[in-house]
């Protein structure tokens, strides 16, 4: 083993000596060529290092922008994880005959939604058994879907929304269920117009918002009016939150 190491040491020593001799006895042309190659290699190395540094800086900038964007959207969607606060009230004086609500209590609204879903799908989601407290209500429908809303002083619903968080690689069943609930609610809120103009338009609005958010990766809000009720969809790609709701324009 020692003999082998000694031979290896001698070989490396010879290479070193030969290298020194080559430098000492090289011609001016060879020296110029060597120095030019060294300068070229140095410039190439520095260019590669500069490119790596620029790439790292660009990557860090993108990460910082993504982080800031996600924090902004998380801050904007903090209200999704708690019972919603009252939406802004109309401060204008209204006639006593004006009702800034849906004309139904949460239980009445829930029962009408239950009835339509049962007739169409044979499923009882039991929204009519909602328990209320104060001027808001919230019901966990399972699978991460929540029904929430506002109640005015007359005990009637003035705003209603369905909200959920969908995780990456999760199937579309939850989104489909959300669309069904929102569509049926639109039919209940607008019984005097064809369902194509209520449920159909709400589904179209929600689909457009989801498609736009998926393509741009930005938060998207879409709204539309049907009579005195404002329907809306909010989609937050960075957190996976989706909200489809309705509120009386005068509440």
């Amino acid at each position: 083993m020692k003999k082998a190491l000694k031979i290896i040491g001698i070989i490396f020593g010879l290479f070193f000596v030969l290298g020194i001799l080559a430098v000492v006895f090289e011609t001016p042309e060879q020296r110029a060529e060597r120095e030019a190659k060294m300068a070229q290699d140095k410039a190439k190395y520095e260019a590669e290092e500069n490119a790596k540094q620029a790439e790292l800086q660009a990557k860090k900038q993108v990460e910082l922008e993504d982080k800031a964007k996600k924090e902004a959207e998380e801050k904007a969607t903090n209200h999704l994880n708690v019972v919603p606060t009252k939406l802004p009230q109309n401060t204008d004086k209204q006639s006593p005959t004006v009702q800034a609500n849906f004309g139904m209590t949460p239980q009445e609204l829930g029962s009408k939604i239950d009835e339509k879903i049962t007739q169409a799908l044979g499923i009882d989601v039991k929204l009519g058994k909602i328990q209320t407290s104060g001027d808001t209500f919230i019901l966990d429908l399972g699978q991460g879907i929540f029904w929430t809303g506002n109640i005015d002083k007359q005990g009637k619903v003035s705003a209603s929304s369905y909200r959920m968080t969908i995780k990456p690689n999760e199937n579309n069943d939850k989104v489909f269920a959300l669309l069904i609930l929102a569509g049926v609610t639109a039919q209940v809120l607008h019984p005097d117009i064809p369902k194509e103009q209520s449920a159909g338009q709400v589904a179209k609005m929600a689909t457009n918002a989801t498609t736009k958010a998926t393509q741009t990766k930005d938060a998207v809000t879409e709204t539309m009016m049907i009579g005195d009720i404002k329907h809306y969809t909010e989609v937050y790609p960075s957190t996976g939150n989706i909200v489809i709701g309705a509120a009386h324009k005068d509440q």
Side-chain angles (χ1 to χ4, degrees):
M1 182 66 179
K2 290 182 179 179
K3 185 177 181 181
L5 291 174
K6 185 176 181 181
I7 292 171
I8 293 172
I10 292 171
I11 292 172
F12 277 113
L14 286 173
F15 282 143
F16 177 75
V17 172
L18 290 173
I20 295 297
L21 289 175
V23 172
V24 172
F25 294 105
E26 68 183 355
T27 65
E29 291 80 6
Q30 289 173 329
R31 178 176 299 175
E33 183 179 351
R34 177 173 59 82
E35 291 177 350
K37 187 175 185 307
M38 289 175 62
Q40 184 180 8
D41 291 342
K42 181 181 179 182
K44 181 180 179 182
Y45 173 78
E46 291 177 348
E48 290 177 349
E49 285 299 309
N50 290 336
K52 288 180 182 178
Q53 289 299 320
E55 185 178 353
L56 286 174
Q57 285 297 111
K59 185 177 180 181
K60 287 181 181 179
Q61 184 64 30
V62 170
E63 289 175 350
L64 288 173
E65 290 176 356
D66 288 345
K67 182 179 179 182
K69 178 179 174 181
K70 184 174 181 180
E71 288 177 349
E73 290 192 1
E74 285 177 345
K75 183 178 179 180
T77 56
N78 280 340
H79 68 286
L80 301 180
N81 300 319
V82 297
V83 177
T85 57
K86 289 281 286 182
L87 295 177
Q89 300 291 317
N90 187 0
T91 56
D92 295 336
K93 291 184 178 181
Q94 299 176 354
S95 166
T97 60
V98 174
Q99 289 189 340
N101 57 49
F102 299 159
M104 294 173 277
T105 65
Q107 292 77 17
E108 291 170 340
L109 176 59
S111 295
K112 290 178 182 291
I113 295 170
D114 286 343
E115 183 180 355
K116 282 191 173 295
I117 292 179
T118 300
Q119 291 175 350
L121 303 175
I123 301 173
D124 183 8
V125 289
K126 303 185 185 306
L127 270 65
K129 296 182 179 180
I130 179 74
Q131 298 295 314
T132 60
S133 176
D135 57 2
T136 62
F137 64 86
I138 183 169
L139 177 65
D140 185 350
L141 301 177
Q143 299 298 314
I145 300 176
F146 292 87
W147 180 38
T148 66
N150 294 340
I151 307 171
D152 68 5
K153 293 180 180 180
Q154 300 177 47
K156 305 293 180 65
V157 180
S158 59
S160 167
S161 68
Y162 298 98
R163 54 196 67 207
M164 72 174 186
T165 300
I166 186 165
K167 299 176 181 178
N169 303 320
E170 207 166 22
N171 61 43
N172 294 324
D173 291 347
K174 287 171 61 175
V175 177
F176 185 61
L178 199 71
L179 288 173
I180 290 176
L181 288 165
V184 170
T185 302
Q187 290 184 56
V188 172
L189 295 178
H190 307 285
D192 299 328
I193 66 175
K195 62 182 180 181
E196 292 78 11
Q197 297 176 22
S198 56
Q201 290 299 313
V202 168
K204 183 178 179 181
M205 173 191 65
T207 301
N208 289 342
T210 303
T211 300
K212 188 183 297 183
T214 301
Q215 292 174 344
T216 64
K217 306 301 181 185
D218 292 327
V220 173
T221 299
E222 294 278 343
T223 63
M224 60 176 288
M225 292 295 299
I226 302 180
D228 291 334
I229 298 176
K230 176 183 177 181
H231 295 266
Y232 64 92
T233 301
E234 299 174 359
V235 185
Y236 301 90
S238 68
T239 56
N241 288 314
I242 302 176
V243 183
I244 306 177
H248 194 284
K249 66 179 182 65
D250 295 324
Q251 71 155 332

